[in-house]
Amino acid sequence: MPYDDQNIFAKILRGEIPCKKIYEDDFVLSFHDINPQKKVHALVIPKGKYINLDDFNKNASKDEIVGLINGISIVAEKLGISSENGNGYRTLANINEDGGQEVPHLHFHLFGGEKVGKMVS
Ligand code: AMP
């Protein structure tokens, strides 16, 4: 399946629709989820056109991979939910239909600001 340039996160990356931005650098954009499931619910997405984690791991450069992993920790710290802040959070990526992925641009969810509960419901 080719990358769909019309997916909502591609539009956010192009600035065609707004987002509540938390952080941006050369490799990632992070913004608040429009439908938060926890007190803090952020998304971290790579700037490159990757459908999911498998696509990313196969096709992204080492710099992009490191940039995304770093981006998650940077955003968590900015939000005050990281271990640096004495707190904690959950990060997850849904992959394809069986994994519950709705938007076909790789994204990591960050949940925190409270105890996030059981891992899978
Ligand atoms: P997933 O099911 O893993 O693909 O998650 C997609 C997430 O994107 C959901 O949590 C949505 O609430 C969120 N979402 C969809 N549209 C937007 C948007 N325009 N801005 C921020 N978050 C969005």
Side-chain angles (χ1 to χ4, degrees):
M1 188 181 70
Y3 180 84
D4 172 14
D5 267 316
Q6 294 309 309
N7 79 73
I8 196 109
F9 294 167
K11 290 180 179 175
I12 288 176
L13 280 167
R14 291 195 296 267
E16 292 168 10
I17 61 168
C19 68
K20 280 173 68 183
K21 192 195 285 190
I22 299 163
Y23 176 74
E24 181 172 13
D25 63 22
D26 287 348
F27 299 107
V28 299
L29 175 66
S30 174
F31 48 91
H32 291 280
D33 196 290
I34 205 166
N35 181 24
Q37 302 299 308
K38 295 291 168 194
K39 258 189 196 159
V40 175
H41 184 176
L43 299 171
V44 179
I45 72 174
K47 287 199 164 168
K49 297 177 179 184
Y50 300 105
I51 298 169
N52 60 36
L53 189 62
D54 296 333
D55 179 25
F56 184 71
N57 284 333
K58 272 213 177 89
N59 298 307
S61 69
K62 290 218 161 34
D63 282 351
E64 287 177 298
I65 293 172
V66 171
L68 177 58
I69 297 297
N70 276 335
I72 291 170
S73 287
I74 293 167
V75 169
E77 195 169 342
K78 272 181 95 67
L79 292 170
I81 60 173
S82 75
S83 5
E84 293 293 319
N85 307 115
N87 293 312
Y89 61 101
R90 176 173 299 146
T91 183
L92 68 84
N94 296 321
I95 296 158
N96 290 350
E97 199 180 335
D98 276 6
Q101 183 176 8
E102 288 171 4
V103 179
H105 180 112
L106 172 61
H107 49 283
F108 277 86
H109 295 258
L110 274 66
F111 301 104
E114 61 182 318
K115 290 216 185 320
V116 297
K118 286 196 174 166
M119 192 161 70
V120 178
S121 57

